[in-house]
Amino acid sequence: MADVAQKLGISVVSVSKALAGKEGVSDEMRARIIQTAKELGYVAPVRTKEKQESSGTIGIVVADRFFSDNTFYANLYRLVVMQCAALGYSAVLEIVEPEFERSCQMPNFLVNKRVDGLIFMGEISHTYLQTATSYNLPYMLLDFYVDQFTADCVVSSNVEGGWVLTNHLLQTGRRQIGFVGSILSTTSIMDRYLGYVKAQLQAGITPRDDWRLEDRDASGRFIPIKLPEEMPQAFVCSCDEVAFNLMEMLKRRGYSIPRDVAITGYDDFVFATVASPRLTTYKVDTERMAKAVVAQLHRKIRKKALLVNHSVIGGQMIRREST
């Protein structure tokens, strides 16, 4: 889908809709998408009415707000697909649009039981998740967890990452440190914030509420960052993209980075290296996360997993010029 989207200069969501026969794409564009897909070697799956023992397919479910605006998840999806192939599975993606998430409209591949297991990638509403898991298929949560019920998940070491980045800034002599991230938006952001708070409390510093800045709205979409009246000496940001946007805003307002304000990101993805100066960040081992989630789901499908698995994948700080 990514190859088709790139060739036609459209979004992956449009390609997904066209290939799935959904509304939201014109007849002309649908025909172009299907023709381009055929030229690239895409073969539509054969659908049968008979229920099969095993489909050899894993369904990947991700909310539209994470896939359309977040290149981190596009890369993570690519790695998951590669790991699926390594274990002999094909992968099918369902991008859940906001109205389908609210109404709990399930993917066709789940309703018709055409997949052996599910991977939910990124946060999704708890009601939607509960509805999907009621189909009693093996499933995994990737890059998030839910406090309200027990489920296998694979996440990065977010608390540790937030602590490492904040402690690094403290070691540079900066004691006035803010946090950019909507902590109720995702469990990852909340845990990174908890690491940030932990490092400051251990240093005898009480985090200031006015230095915790929102970066997303209630639906999880990025919003413009509102700077505080009194600026801190540094910011720990929820991800590299937010750090990049903050850096560009500060430079437009005459701030020198890191002389006036130091900035850290999180993920070590594309924004970390295109930023000027390049971002100090915490590298997430997405390849290990993809390998762990597919391996655990494979074990669950083969009924070898008897205990709940909460895999926390460690990372490392990458120091660059922004601090």
Side-chain angles (χ1 to χ4, degrees), residues 19-218:
L19 295 180
K22 295 181 179 180
E23 297 180 355
V25 181
S26 68
D27 293 340
E28 180 183 357
M29 179 55 71
R30 189 185 307 276
R32 290 181 61 194
I33 290 170
I34 293 173
Q35 180 60 36
T36 302
K38 289 180 179 178
E39 292 172 358
L40 294 175
Y42 170 77
V43 179
V46 177
R47 302 184 184 277
T48 63
K49 294 183 179 179
E50 298 180 3
K51 183 180 177 181
Q52 300 177 346
E53 261 319 291
S54 173
S55 67
T57 303
I58 289 176
I60 302 172
V61 181
V62 58
D64 175 67
R65 62 183 176 276
F66 289 114
F67 206 77
S68 60
D69 293 339
N70 198 314
T71 53
F72 174 83
Y73 281 105
N75 180 60
L76 186 57
Y77 166 69
R78 179 182 66 85
L79 293 170
V80 169
V81 170
M82 292 171 63
Q83 292 299 326
C84 286
L87 290 180
Y89 294 99
S90 59
V92 57
L93 175 67
E94 177 74 9
I95 300 173
V96 184
E97 298 179 44
E99 59 269 27
F100 292 163
E101 186 176 356
R102 287 190 295 269
S103 63
C104 291
Q105 182 172 327
M106 296 293 105
N108 288 331
F109 62 65
L110 176 56
V111 174
N112 297 323
K113 298 184 178 179
R114 296 193 179 110
V115 293
D116 296 328
L118 300 168
I119 295 175
F120 297 92
M121 188 169 66
E123 303 274 344
I124 201 159
S125 82
H126 296 175
T127 305
Y128 186 96
L129 185 61
Q130 288 175 329
T131 303
T133 56
S134 68
Y135 284 79
N136 295 320
L137 282 175
Y139 69 94
M140 292 289 298
L141 310 183
L142 179 57
D143 201 42
F144 77 107
Y145 59 90
V146 179
D147 292 313
Q148 285 78 358
F149 62 94
T150 303
D152 283 16
C153 63
V154 175
V155 297
S156 69
S157 52
N158 292 297
V159 175
E160 177 191 8
W163 183 91
V164 167
L165 291 168
T166 307
N167 191 57
H168 162 68
L169 291 169
L170 289 168
Q171 290 178 347
T172 66
R174 299 174 175 92
R175 294 180 62 82
Q176 300 174 350
I177 304 172
F179 183 88
V180 185
S182 298
I183 62 176
L184 297 180
S185 181
T186 70
T187 53
S188 294
I189 296 176
M190 172 64 82
D191 286 351
R192 291 166 194 178
Y193 175 73
L194 293 177
Y196 153 87
V197 171
K198 178 181 177 181
Q200 291 195 85
L201 292 178
Q202 289 175 335
I205 302 169
T206 301
R208 286 176 46 166
D209 289 340
D210 61 326
W211 284 349
R212 178 169 60 82
L213 312 183
E214 302 294 330
D215 66 350
R216 300 152 206 251
D217 59 21

Side-chain angles (χ1 to χ4, degrees), residues 119-323:
I119 295 175
F120 297 92
M121 188 169 66
E123 303 274 344
I124 201 159
S125 82
H126 296 175
T127 305
Y128 186 96
L129 185 61
Q130 288 175 329
T131 303
T133 56
S134 68
Y135 284 79
N136 295 320
L137 282 175
Y139 69 94
M140 292 289 298
L141 310 183
L142 179 57
D143 201 42
F144 77 107
Y145 59 90
V146 179
D147 292 313
Q148 285 78 358
F149 62 94
T150 303
D152 283 16
C153 63
V154 175
V155 297
S156 69
S157 52
N158 292 297
V159 175
E160 177 191 8
W163 183 91
V164 167
L165 291 168
T166 307
N167 191 57
H168 162 68
L169 291 169
L170 289 168
Q171 290 178 347
T172 66
R174 299 174 175 92
R175 294 180 62 82
Q176 300 174 350
I177 304 172
F179 183 88
V180 185
S182 298
I183 62 176
L184 297 180
S185 181
T186 70
T187 53
S188 294
I189 296 176
M190 172 64 82
D191 286 351
R192 291 166 194 178
Y193 175 73
L194 293 177
Y196 153 87
V197 171
K198 178 181 177 181
Q200 291 195 85
L201 292 178
Q202 289 175 335
I205 302 169
T206 301
R208 286 176 46 166
D209 289 340
D210 61 326
W211 284 349
R212 178 169 60 82
L213 312 183
E214 302 294 330
D215 66 350
R216 300 152 206 251
D217 59 21
S219 65
R221 303 283 184 181
F222 287 126
I223 59 175
I225 298 169
K226 295 182 180 179
L227 297 177
E229 293 185 6
E230 181 184 352
M231 286 287 287
Q233 298 169 315
F235 283 105
V236 174
C237 297
S238 65
C239 67
D240 290 338
E241 184 171 357
V242 168
F244 174 83
N245 292 336
L246 175 63
M247 182 182 294
E248 293 301 302
M249 175 193 295
L250 292 177
K251 288 194 297 185
R252 288 194 298 270
R253 298 192 182 188
Y255 289 91
S256 174
I257 299 168
R259 187 188 65 192
D260 299 329
V261 181
I263 296 176
T264 67
Y266 201 104
D267 294 334
D268 192 33
F269 204 51
V270 60
F271 289 96
T273 54
V274 299
S276 178
R278 295 189 306 161
L279 278 172
T280 292
T281 188
Y282 189 81
K283 181 179 178 63
V284 174
D285 195 339
T286 49
E287 186 171 350
R288 281 186 62 201
M289 289 178 67
K291 186 175 182 178
V293 76
V294 175
Q296 176 69 355
L297 183 57
H298 175 63
R299 288 191 289 268
K300 289 164 70 72
I301 290 172
R302 300 187 62 170
K303 299 182 180 179
K304 291 183 179 179
L306 302 178
L307 299 176
V308 170
N309 180 278
H310 189 136
S311 297
V312 180
I313 307 299
Q316 64 183 107
M317 189 183 76
I318 310 296
R319 182 173 182 177
R320 297 196 177 102
E321 295 91 339
S322 67
T323 63

